[in-house]
Amino acid sequence: MAAGKEKQVSFTTEETTTCPICFESFLTPRILPCSHTFCHNCLSSYIISTCKTKESPVGFPCPLCKSFVPAPSFSIELENWSDLIPINKSVQFLIEKGDKLCDACQREDEEIVANIWCESCSESLCAMCAKYHRKNAASRNHTLVPIADFSKISCGKESMKSTPVVCKDHNKLIDYFCVEHEELCCTKCVCTKHRTCTQVDDIEEAAESLRKSEKIKTLSEELFQFEGSLVKAKSNGADTIKYIDDTSDQIKKESTELRDKIVNHVNALLEDHLSELAHTAKEHRGIVASIVDAVSDRQLLVAQYLHSLEDTEKLPASVLVNEYLKIKKQFACVSKSGFSQIRVQLQSTVSKDLTGILYLKTFTDLKTRMKSIPLWGIDLTSANMKLICELPGSTDNITGGCFLENGDIVLVDNDSSHLLHYSNAVLIHTADLIMEPHDAVCQNNSLLISLNPAFFENEKSSIRQFNLDKFEKNKDEFLTEASVYSMAISGGFIYVACSDVIIKFDQEGNTVQRYPVDMYTYSVATNNSNEIISSSCSTQNVTVMSSCGEKMYTYSTKKLKYPHGLDVNFTGNIFVAGRDSRNIHVLTHKAELLKIFAIESRPTCIKFKENSNVCFVGSCKKTTKVYEFQEVM
Ligand SMILES: [Zn+2]
Ligand SMILES: [Zn+2]
Ligand SMILES: [Zn+2]
Ligand SMILES: [Zn+2]
Ligand SMILES: [Zn+2]
Ligand SMILES: [Zn+2]
């Protein structure tokens, strides 16, 4: 990569003095590691506009070639980054008017006109200084160009890395290194700021001992490891983005399908309704029409009668009397036949469930939950355990428990057989478990509790479900032959420490695998690689097994006595509670010791909150305490 950057390109003077952002002649030219140069103000506004939307920015891409430029300092505001980006001295030199002075002489407070430019140092030199520059072993190979020959100056294209560092306070070359302050010093610094410092090395010696030491290798290894976590975090991020896209597509599909189903159903209902309406209307219209018809007939009949009774004079006597009697009888009959007219009322009441849709405010109840997972753990070798809070009332013999998803804590008290539920360090529920509990683990908002009979004769040990909402034991349980102690959940399986064996159960309580372990193994934990970590109170060993039960790593020391409880945090580090040695041992995932923390009480268990450095430590006859492991700066 570096070779490409140093490729020589020839420019005309005008090209080399024009800023590629504002296309004006440079004003305070700043040079990036890729050798691209921009005006101070142009670069500054570019950095601000590029980085302001980024989450704690650590650098920016070059406006021209896009190569990444690391932030010149993490301790200053974004707005001031360009102040710390070096001036392109050769460009600055080109655009300066008037006599150019020798930079080397200026450092000695002498003003001598320069006529040579050293490209390697980006410095102007007078004839005398140039002569020494050519003779000096350190600068013998530098490229010197006569100032009259402007167009040949490569304008900072030569690697900036070969430019020796100059002291910012005194503008002098660096000759020393103060080990105490980890600071570079010039001859003036040594006599002032670092006058009383005990170890100030010659810069050549410092570089040599740095090259010989493991320090560069160690730093590279740390960087590689860090790069690994970044790669993982990036791929996790891509997975999460894909998950969001896939899930929102799925939700969209389901919602649209539901809408279609509702619309189709409403359409079908409407169709039924309309056909029923048409049928009813037709039926009732028919009934009313037939009555209207009958009324019309009677109307005609009456008209006939009236007509018959009009010309009574002309009729023979017998016909008239006969006609009169007939009409009178028939009329009496027709008018008394109980004939009635019909009024119809048609009404349609829409189901409240149907109109209820109009009062809905949302289609679904959309919820998101964000969880923040640290990218990497802290340096546990330089960490301390900061006390966060105490859990009052947990003073008997806390042998286990766990953090719930909402951050609440449940503890099991082996002595009093109680389950204790804490929210914000306040005891909000207790439940009598009757049998002797040893541990509790959280699984899908319900708890699993390991229970042993108080008197050995009758009952069996069991793993029992506990309902957190009702805060009571569920009926669901599975009985075990062996006594049950600590538990760990991993990959849908439950690992239970049973003194001389660790049993892996499936969700129904079937034994999947038995892992023989040392006697008095009360603790078990699993890590992301499905390795099984346990400790024995007879051999005092901490053991890491592969998922097939093969012993991989062992940790033991005289400083660890009665390792009753342990846990693994999100980075895979192992934390062991030594009850009788009164300490917490922090180990790597390969069971190598990182640090031992002394504990005042006799710790019986340690349990971590998911994806955090927060844990609680249960003790014999002492209050359970919540701690956070924090890096000491
Ligand atoms: Zn500019
Ligand atoms: Zn560039
Ligand atoms: Zn000089
Ligand atoms: Zn030089
Ligand atoms: Zn200095
Ligand atoms: Zn110093």
Side-chain angles (χ1 to χ4, degrees), residues 154-284:
S154 71
C155 299
K157 297 297 181 296
E158 255 188 55
S159 170
M160 299 205 311
K161 276 194 179 159
S162 64
T163 312
V165 183
V166 173
C167 166
K168 283 191 185 68
D169 295 339
H170 308 105
N171 197 26
K172 278 175 169 294
L173 289 174
I174 295 298
D175 288 319
Y176 300 97
F177 174 67
C178 170
V179 179
E180 213 173 306
H181 290 99
E182 290 205 318
E183 257 178 45
L184 297 167
C185 323
C186 72
T187 40
K188 266 197 184 169
C189 293
V190 173
C191 312
T192 54
K193 192 177 165 192
H194 303 278
R195 192 166 43 86
T196 56
C197 297
T198 44
Q199 198 185 348
V200 178
D201 290 348
D202 181 81
I203 194 70
E204 293 295 334
E205 277 171 30
E208 196 48 39
S209 73
L210 186 63
R211 279 191 202 104
K212 277 183 190 155
S213 76
E214 292 281 291
K215 282 180 186 166
I216 293 178
K217 202 179 137 209
T218 311
L219 184 61
S220 304
E221 277 169 3
E222 280 174 24
L223 286 169
F224 271 125
Q225 237 175 44
F226 193 66
E227 195 189 24
S229 7
L230 292 174
V231 167
K232 209 166 147 193
K234 213 170 147 185
S235 106
N236 286 346
D239 287 351
T240 306
I241 288 172
K242 189 172 178 303
Y243 162 82
I244 293 171
D245 288 349
D246 290 353
T247 312
S248 64
D249 281 355
Q250 180 62 24
I251 292 174
K252 186 178 163 190
K253 191 175 153 241
E254 283 169 8
S255 301
T256 314
E257 275 172 8
L258 179 63
R259 192 258 334 251
D260 292 346
K261 219 167 148 182
I262 292 171
V263 168
N264 289 341
H265 188 67
V266 170
N267 278 340
L269 289 179
L270 178 67
E271 228 159 82
D272 287 353
H273 164 68
L274 292 182
S275 99
E276 193 194 355
L277 179 67
H279 180 79
T280 313
K282 189 181 166 193
E283 193 185 350
H284 289 84

